[in-house]
Amino acid sequence: MEKNTQVTPAQSVGGQAINPQLAAPMEARGILTQFGDNIIHQNLNFKVTPNEIVGLVGGSGAGKSVLMNTLLGLKEPEGGTIRYFGKNRDDLNAEDRLAINNQMGVLFQGGALFSSMTVRENIMVPLREHTDLSQQLMCELADMKIHMVGLPAMAGALYPSDLSGGMKKRAGLARSLALDPQLLFLDEPTAGLDPVGANAFDELILGLRDALNLTVLMVTHDLDSLYAICDRVAVLVDKHIAIADKLDVVQNYDHPWVKEYFGGPRSRAAQSAGLS
Amino acid sequence: MNAMAGKSKCGSYELSQEGQALTVKAYGIWTLQTAAELDGKISNDVANKIYQHVDYDLCDVSKLDTAGAYLLARAIKLGTAPAHSWAVTKGNKGQKILMSAAAEATLGHEMRPPRPWFDVFARVGIATSRFWTELVETIAFLGKFFTVLFRCITQPHRMRWKAIVALVEKIGLDAVPIIMVLCFFIGAVIAYMGANLLASFGAGVFMVDLVGFSVIRELAPIITAILIAGRSDSAFTAQLGAMKMRQEIDAMTVIGLDTFEVLVVPRALAALIAMPILTFLGMISGILAGILVAAIVGSGLSPILFLTRLQDVVGLSHFWVGMVKTPFFAIIIAIIGCRQGLAVTGSVESLGSRTTTSVVQAIFAVITVDAIFAILFYQLGV
């Protein structure tokens, strides 16, 4: 696996907007999340460094989705701070907040495509809202994104209801990449895909990371994905990120859930597949 | 944000040509933020040049993203003839990956043709043919409904009585207040108009004829039908449409349930039972309004006088003229609602448009059928 070899040159490319060398694209400190008396996260610390792919794992109900919503800004935490590119989210004015939001792309689990629009129009939505490009250029850029995520050209004119599950994910990814974000959130990107499709999707993420200088945070249950493309794995157990490190370090971490997760038969199979 | 500062120093480029090779030397910021300014420049400059190969020198580009790469890559395609090959001679790895992604995308697809001038006629044609297919399909649906209904009547155990009763409550009982209130108001309005107008001729007593004829023959049936079309027809479409979207209909078919038998027939029968009752209640309510207005306005018409005159002039045949239409309305409304619901495809959009179509078609059909009945009864002299 040649995971980290391209990190250094790619960093000096594009380098749009905020200086990525200086600050982490995203950092959470001391996050407290609770619903009523039910504490979901307590003193949660988590940091993503530029140009890496981080996998976030945790048992069902551990609060992965809540954490992702918190990091995205869809939910305000009850305590703690979240910093994007070194800036505290709470201190940002509306304009800066919007600019930061444009640096983040999200692929929701089901794709979350707008069902009343074609795939091309879906991808054009962020472009139309946040840039002053001509209609023709927006259209062509949308087609380019469609091409980049590996969809056939005719897919642009289709409606989300005409697409298969895998195509919907690709189309959702194309929309999340519309504004060339630096930070990409993926919620279970390979769930519901067949193994061939899931592998292709993993390859796609890896390729896009190198081409677009992306930092990727993916919530996943897919052990194959973890072994194949993640630079680091963060484990959400006991209401906080217990460990976030390279896979071989995480595997040997002394925690019953982690041991069970990585020691199970599925994990061993994925591991041997990932190494071969 | 540095991204915002990008607007001040936009990207630029120089073109130089040696034989069949064009060299594009780019400077500065080539990103989405500067794309609007850069759009079209390269395409114009290369439009009259003849070349086979494009070289890119990107070492002075400070920022490049997909949009910028796409604009640069246009040079490959938009010369007098598309270039056969291209290369990034100077630039780092990330830039090369971006350029190759962009080049594949530009080379891969043709620009969209503009709308032809006859587009408007084509749309009219499509709309017309769609009108006919809608009509034909609705009638076909009606036919299928009757065959299934016939099967259900001959084999009464197939009838879903529980569903029918529940639906009668929803369509009928729940709609009683609104229909009675509406018919009351309509009756009152007619009575007021009649009282004023006819009193000036000294013919105040004819107000009874006016209210009686209009409410019993036309207004109560049509108001009820339109209300049910708005209230229950849309509900049918939305229910069946949502079931279709969630593949419940498919599941039913696979399990071996007949969609018509389970969903359409009970709705149609429930409407068939509810509609005459609702219309009758509407009639009563309208007449009551007439009696009340007659008593209040004080044209000397006591309730007893009103009812006696009503009995004398408005015969029972007029009541039947009003009532005989209601089963037709009921079937029309239920069939259109169910058909549109089952025609919903996967998208949210189609659910919305089908519900709209359903209500519009139902009201349109109800009024058309009412007009046909009016002509028919006139010719028959009823």
Side-chain angles (χ1 to χ4, degrees):
Chain A
M1 291 305 305
E2 41 151 17
K3 278 183 251 183
N4 297 319
T5 45
Q6 285 140 3
V7 173
T8 324
Q11 258 178 17
S12 58
V13 194
Q16 312 114 309
I18 310 91
N19 202 339
Q21 280 90 346
L22 293 180
M26 195 200 61
E27 187 179 1
R29 283 185 201 159
I31 298 294
L32 170 72
T33 316
Q34 59 185 83
F35 296 116
D37 292 336
N38 186 11
I39 295 173
I40 311 288
H41 306 127
Q42 196 165 29
N43 195 22
L44 182 147
N45 295 301
F46 185 43
K47 189 173 169 180
V48 183
T49 56
N51 208 236
E52 68 172 351
I53 300 180
V54 187
L56 178 64
V57 299
S60 296
K64 296 188 298 292
S65 301
V66 177
L67 179 60
M68 191 159 126
N69 285 349
T70 310
L71 296 176
L72 274 171
L74 293 174
K75 182 188 180 311
E76 287 300 325
E78 272 68 36
T81 56
I82 289 168
R83 304 171 83 85
Y84 298 124
F85 305 101
K87 291 178 184 158
N88 190 333
R89 183 164 85 185
D90 302 330
D91 299 342
L92 293 172
N93 59 29
E95 198 180 322
D96 286 346
R97 181 71 189 269
L98 183 68
I100 296 252
N101 270 347
N102 290 347
Q103 292 294 322
M104 302 196 295
V106 197
L107 169 60
F108 291 99
Q109 219 179 85
L113 294 165
F114 305 124
S115 60
S116 58
M117 299 177 184
T118 62
V119 170
R120 185 184 288 118
E121 287 165 349
N122 259 288
I123 301 169
M124 281 161 71
V125 168
L127 293 172
R128 193 175 288 140
E129 285 303 310
H130 299 301
T131 66
D132 44 5
L133 305 178
S134 69
Q135 187 74 19
Q136 172 74 27
L137 183 59
M138 278 197 285
C139 218
E140 288 175 35
L141 285 177
D143 283 353
M144 178 180 170
K145 294 280 155 44
I146 290 171
H147 182 83
M148 282 174 77
V149 298
L151 286 172
M154 41 66 86
L158 297 179
Y159 284 89
S161 52
D162 304 329
L163 301 179
S164 70
M167 287 170 91
K168 270 185 201 155
K169 295 222 162 169
R170 282 172 188 265
L173 185 65
R175 188 181 68 187
S176 66
L177 292 173
L179 291 173
D180 277 307
Q182 294 220 308
L183 184 57
L184 188 61
F185 291 84
L186 307 174
D187 191 1
E188 305 251 2
T190 51
L193 299 187
D194 64 281
V196 178
N199 280 344
F201 206 87
D202 284 346
E203 288 296 316
L204 176 66
I205 302 286
L206 209 55
L208 288 172
R209 189 268 300 264
D210 295 337
L212 303 178
N213 191 25
L214 289 172
T215 306
V216 181
L217 172 66
M218 57 193 255
V219 174
T220 187
H221 272 306
D222 188 343
L223 287 157
D224 291 307
S225 288
L226 283 182
Y227 284 103
I229 64 169
C230 289
D231 300 320
R232 283 199 306 148
V233 175
V235 183
L236 180 61
V237 283
D238 300 338
K239 298 170 186 165
H240 67 287
I241 300 284
I243 182 168
D245 212 321
K246 292 213 165 55
L247 198 62
D248 42 357
V249 182
V250 174
Q251 270 175 314
N252 299 320
Y253 182 69
D254 190 23
H255 185 283
W257 189 83
V258 178
K259 280 210 148 47
E260 204 172 333
Y261 190 86
F262 289 103
R266 285 164 170 277
S267 171
R268 281 197 294 274
Q271 189 176 10
S272 57
L275 292 174
S276 62
Chain B
M1 286 286 300
N2 297 356
M4 293 296 130
K7 275 184 182 159
S8 54
K9 44 172 190 160
C10 184
S12 60
Y13 61 92
E14 284 167 10
L15 299 177
S16 54
Q17 194 167 6
E18 277 178 45
Q20 291 293 320
L22 180 79
T23 304
V24 180
K25 166 101 177 113
Y27 304 92
I29 299 170
W30 287 78
T31 62
L32 204 54
Q33 279 75 30
T34 59
E37 284 174 67
L38 295 163
D39 184 16
K41 284 186 183 165
I42 286 200
S43 352
N44 285 337
D45 285 353
V46 300
N48 299 317
K49 289 192 179 356
I50 299 165
Y51 52 88
Q52 304 273 325
H53 179 83
V54 186
D55 277 326
Y56 287 101
D57 179 352
L58 303 176
C59 57
D60 288 328
V61 172
S62 53
K63 286 173 188 172
L64 183 70
D65 70 2
T66 46
Y70 182 81
L71 290 175
L72 284 169
R74 274 183 169 175
I76 300 168
K77 195 186 164 205
L78 297 178
T80 317
H84 295 306
S85 60
W86 64 277
V88 178
T89 48
K90 288 176 195 162
N92 60 36
K93 184 170 172 155
Q95 289 172 337
K96 282 178 188 164
I97 298 174
L98 269 182
M99 284 304 298
S100 63
E104 279 176 44
T106 37
L107 297 175
H109 97 285
E110 290 297 313
M111 290 198 187
R112 271 204 296 185
R115 253 184 216 173
W117 60 270
F118 50 82
D119 192 59
V120 62
F121 299 105
R123 276 159 183 260
V124 170
I126 290 167
T128 313
S129 78
R130 193 186 300 140
F131 177 81
W132 281 114
T133 42
E134 277 288 307
L135 193 67
V136 170
E137 279 173 21
T138 306
I139 292 171
F141 194 90
L142 190 67
K144 191 172 174 200
F145 162 73
F146 278 121
T147 55
V148 177
L149 182 68
F150 183 74
R151 195 174 68 206
C152 285
I153 290 170
T154 50
Q155 300 163 297
H157 66 274
R158 307 193 81 123
M159 217 63 110
R160 321 234 151 204
W161 296 111
K162 262 189 189 169
I164 293 173
V165 172
L167 282 162
V168 167
E169 187 190 339
K170 257 190 216 155
I171 302 165
L173 199 60
D174 293 355
V176 167
I178 181 79
I179 281 175
M180 287 196 75
V181 168
L182 261 186
C183 286
F184 187 85
F185 285 141
I186 296 282
V189 167
I190 300 281
Y192 263 113
M193 272 169 41
N196 268 338
L197 214 64
L198 295 170
S200 55
F201 297 109
V205 78
F206 284 104
M207 173 188 136
V208 179
D209 307 35
L210 184 67
V211 173
F213 273 117
S214 58
V215 168
I216 289 178
R217 271 187 83 120
E218 288 297 333
L219 289 173
I222 203 96
I223 294 285
T224 310
I226 288 176
L227 232 123
I228 295 299
R231 199 177 168 277
S232 301
D233 172 271
S234 56
F236 291 168
T237 309
Q239 281 167 359
L240 299 199
M243 289 176 82
K244 187 89 190 286
M245 282 171 78
R246 297 162 57 121
Q247 290 191 303
E248 289 177 38
I249 306 263
D250 295 345
M252 273 187 194
T253 315
V254 172
I255 293 171
L257 295 168
D258 185 343
T259 358
F260 265 75
E261 213 175 282
V262 180
L263 298 172
V264 182
V265 170
R267 282 177 170 73
L269 285 183
L272 210 53
I273 295 167
M275 196 71 113
I277 301 173
L278 286 173
T279 308
F280 181 66
L281 291 172
M283 287 174 183
I284 291 177
S285 169
I287 301 290
L288 266 177
I291 293 173
L292 203 69
V293 170
I296 290 172
V297 170
S299 45
L301 273 171
S302 71
I304 299 193
L305 196 62
F306 190 105
L307 285 177
T308 320
R309 176 147 181 91
L310 191 70
Q311 217 165 12
D312 287 346
V313 291
V314 187
L316 202 60
S317 67
H318 296 291
F319 170 75
W320 289 118
V321 164
M323 283 310 253
V324 81
K325 294 188 267 195
T326 57
F328 291 89
F329 292 162
I331 295 290
I332 287 171
I333 290 168
I335 289 303
I336 289 177
C338 292
R339 179 180 118 61
Q340 294 297 334
L342 290 175
V344 167
T345 55
S347 72
V348 178
E349 180 85 336
S350 88
L351 180 62
S353 70
R354 285 294 176 180
T355 311
T356 312
T357 315
S358 165
V359 175
V360 171
Q361 276 188 5
I363 292 177
F364 179 83
V366 160
I367 292 177
T368 313
V369 169
D370 191 56
I372 293 170
F373 270 115
I375 297 166
L376 197 68
F377 288 135
Y378 177 79
Q379 296 293 340
L380 290 173
V382 184

